[in-house]
Amino acid sequence: MRTIDKNKPVLVTGGAGYLASWIIKILLDDGLDVNATVRDPADSEKIAHLEELARTSRGRLRFFEADLLAKDSFDASLRDCELVIHTASPFFITGIKDPERELIQPAQAGTRNVLEAATRTATVKRVVLTSSVAALYGDNADISSTQGGIFTENDWNETSSEAHQPYSYSKTIAEKEAWKIAEGQSQWDLVVINPGWILGPSLTQRTDSMSIKTMLEFGNGTYKSGVPQLWTSIVDVRDVARAHVKAGFTPEARGRHILVSGERTLLDLALILRDKFGDDYPFPRREAPKSIFWLIAPLYGRTRKYVSLNVGIPIRFDNRYSQKDLGISYRPVEQTVQEHFQQIVDNGLLG
Ligand code: NAP
């Protein structure tokens, strides 16, 4: 049993990211001290929201410079920490020119660098890793090889590669690397969080997170002429952040945890938005035929193979273990999507 001393700082890697910012907020509000790594602590725009959070909460926040690809760069940030929450990993699914360099190396070598630094730090007792449902499956078509037509924590993505779904591949090999390193030592244990597509209000004004970019695209007319019939699994960023903190401080927490509130199509999301915001924004109104997306996929940075194996294929996730092991409950998808868009409007991000 790993009981974490709440008087010791918690390390959060990739601290200025969309998800990590919520994790840091919860920790600081609970009065804990946080060590946050960022690639560039001098980039005041990226960290201003965190400094503001620290000003108004009981916990103390310290920034450390660290890059996933620099072998020893996490050591200083780990000093005195018993708990490490490793969220940093590149997240983008289109516009990838060199998957090995842009995604796979930072995800896999980055995980190794952080976890090996944790082993070098005698105080570390637990590592919580942000993986993804992308480490469970590659394409929606993989649902046909599951037992009972539903993804569970027993599933591993066996269909992604550097050439096909490289982001999913990067998350899969990074999580495998983490389990391998965890099993090779006994100083700390590993708890893994596997979220679906994370949405919900952002604490940062950054728009480079994939989750925020896509929500912006719903409001700026990118999908005005139609969306593909694509099922995704949605979860609220605040619930994912809470799950990380529970995973850190629940001594008996074990294994992988699917975090999904519900499955929806892109058109379902548009209808949820129209329900609240009416016709004020050019939300998509219809699904365009799969054959059209198959033809134009390369123009949108997607392959035809991707369209064949994903569009029109429903998916389902079993989220019972996360509720039982971590004691979390899920916000409804409708609330998540509407509050995310409201935050985008309130922050003037749609111009
Ligand atoms: P994000 O806002 O883009 O955050 C990614 C973080 O990774 C940023 O803080 C970034 O640091 C850091 N990072 C990227 N490359 C790095 C490098 N070479 N060295 C150091 N740090 C690096 O995205 P997010 O959605 O919060 O993602 C956080 C985690 O959740 C990732 O592991 C992602 O795979 C996982 N996840 C996300 C979703 C989703 O739908 N958003 C779903 C499942 C899992 P800088 O601040 O310095 O740029």
Side-chain angles (χ1 to χ4, degrees):
M1 296 271 256
R2 316 274 169 155
T3 304
I4 303 297
D5 182 348
K6 291 195 162 182
N7 293 311
K8 297 281 170 61
V10 177
L11 170 63
V12 180
T13 69
Y18 168 55
L19 167 62
S21 297
W22 273 105
I23 297 174
I24 291 175
K25 176 174 168 46
I26 292 172
L27 293 169
L28 291 175
D29 285 350
D30 284 354
L32 281 94
D33 292 342
V34 176
N35 291 354
T37 68
V38 288
R39 272 181 287 189
D40 181 7
D43 187 341
S44 52
E45 256 181 57
K46 271 194 185 178
I47 62 169
H49 66 289
L50 296 175
E51 287 176 325
E52 183 55 31
L53 287 176
R55 251 195 300 280
T56 53
S57 59
R58 291 184 292 133
R60 190 183 67 158
L61 177 63
R62 293 172 70 204
F63 291 105
F64 293 82
E65 182 174 341
D67 191 290
L68 290 170
L69 291 169
K71 216 168 177 316
D72 300 327
S73 72
F74 289 89
D75 289 68
S77 64
L78 273 153
R79 185 196 277 243
D80 290 337
C81 293
E82 292 193 356
L83 174 62
V84 176
I85 302 182
H86 176 38
T87 81
S89 201
F91 177 34
F92 43 94
I93 46 184
T94 54
I96 303 155
K97 292 196 178 75
D98 182 348
E100 174 67 26
R101 192 180 55 79
E102 295 171 72
L103 288 170
I104 296 162
Q105 277 287 325
Q108 185 181 29
T111 297
R112 194 184 313 127
N113 290 338
V114 172
L115 271 48
E116 285 179 350
T119 309
R120 283 195 294 275
T121 309
T123 47
V124 174
K125 292 183 177 170
R126 173 162 288 182
V127 174
V128 177
L129 172 78
T130 316
S131 184
S132 168
V133 292
L136 269 61
Y137 79 109
D139 296 300
N140 287 16
D142 295 349
I143 194 82
S144 65
S145 8
T146 57
Q147 289 196 338
I150 189 161
F151 292 116
T152 73
E153 282 87 358
N154 294 327
D155 292 305
W156 276 98
N157 177 350
E158 288 172 354
T159 57
S160 297
S161 66
E162 191 178 323
H164 177 66
Q165 302 273 44
Y167 168 71
S168 302
Y169 182 61
S170 77
K171 294 304 285 182
T172 307
I173 57 171
E175 191 192 323
K176 284 189 174 163
E177 184 80 23
W179 283 115
K180 194 174 86 191
I181 296 169
E183 279 151 21
Q185 55 76 57
S186 55
Q187 177 195 316
W188 46 266
D189 66 2
L190 178 68
V191 181
V192 172
I193 303 294
N194 302 82
W197 185 22
I198 305 175
L199 295 175
S202 173
L203 293 170
T204 103
Q205 289 280 358
R206 283 173 80 168
T207 53
D208 57 342
S209 164
M210 279 299 300
S211 296
I212 300 166
K213 253 192 207 161
T214 317
M215 191 52 79
L216 276 171
E217 285 168 354
F218 267 99
N220 69 14
T222 304
Y223 305 120
K224 202 170 54 187
S225 44
V227 277
Q229 189 186 57
L230 194 60
W231 269 267
T232 62
S233 55
I234 314 291
V235 62
D236 193 292
V237 66
R238 296 161 289 190
D239 297 336
V240 181
R242 177 68 62 194
H244 280 76
V245 175
K246 291 258 192 172
F249 289 103
T250 307
E252 55 281 0
R254 290 283 174 276
R256 313 173 86 194
H257 301 81
I258 289 177
L259 288 201
V260 167
S261 169
E263 301 83 358
R264 298 287 190 283
T265 63
L266 295 180
L267 189 62
D268 290 335
L269 301 185
L271 293 174
I272 291 170
L273 289 170
R274 182 160 287 113
D275 241 14
K276 179 166 164 69
F277 299 94
D279 289 328
D280 291 352
Y281 300 91
F283 303 126
R285 286 185 171 277
R286 64 186 73 83
E287 283 171 344
K290 182 167 179 174
S291 53
I292 302 263
F293 281 103
W294 188 86
L295 268 178
I296 63 172
L299 296 176
Y300 290 90
R302 290 296 201 171
T303 62
R304 293 192 169 126
K305 180 176 173 183
Y306 168 82
V307 175
S308 300
L309 294 175
N310 291 281
V311 175
I313 304 171
I315 44 173
R316 282 175 60 221
F317 292 85
D318 186 343
N319 66 5
R320 286 174 298 177
Y321 181 63
S322 57
Q323 297 177 67
K324 181 169 151 270
D325 197 47
L326 303 178
I328 56 160
S329 53
Y330 289 103
R331 285 174 173 80
V333 172
E334 289 68 20
Q335 180 188 351
T336 299
V337 171
Q338 291 176 348
E339 290 183 1
H340 193 169
F341 198 78
Q342 186 66 58
Q343 171 257 320
I344 281 176
V345 171
D346 292 347
N347 287 7
L349 296 177
L350 278 168

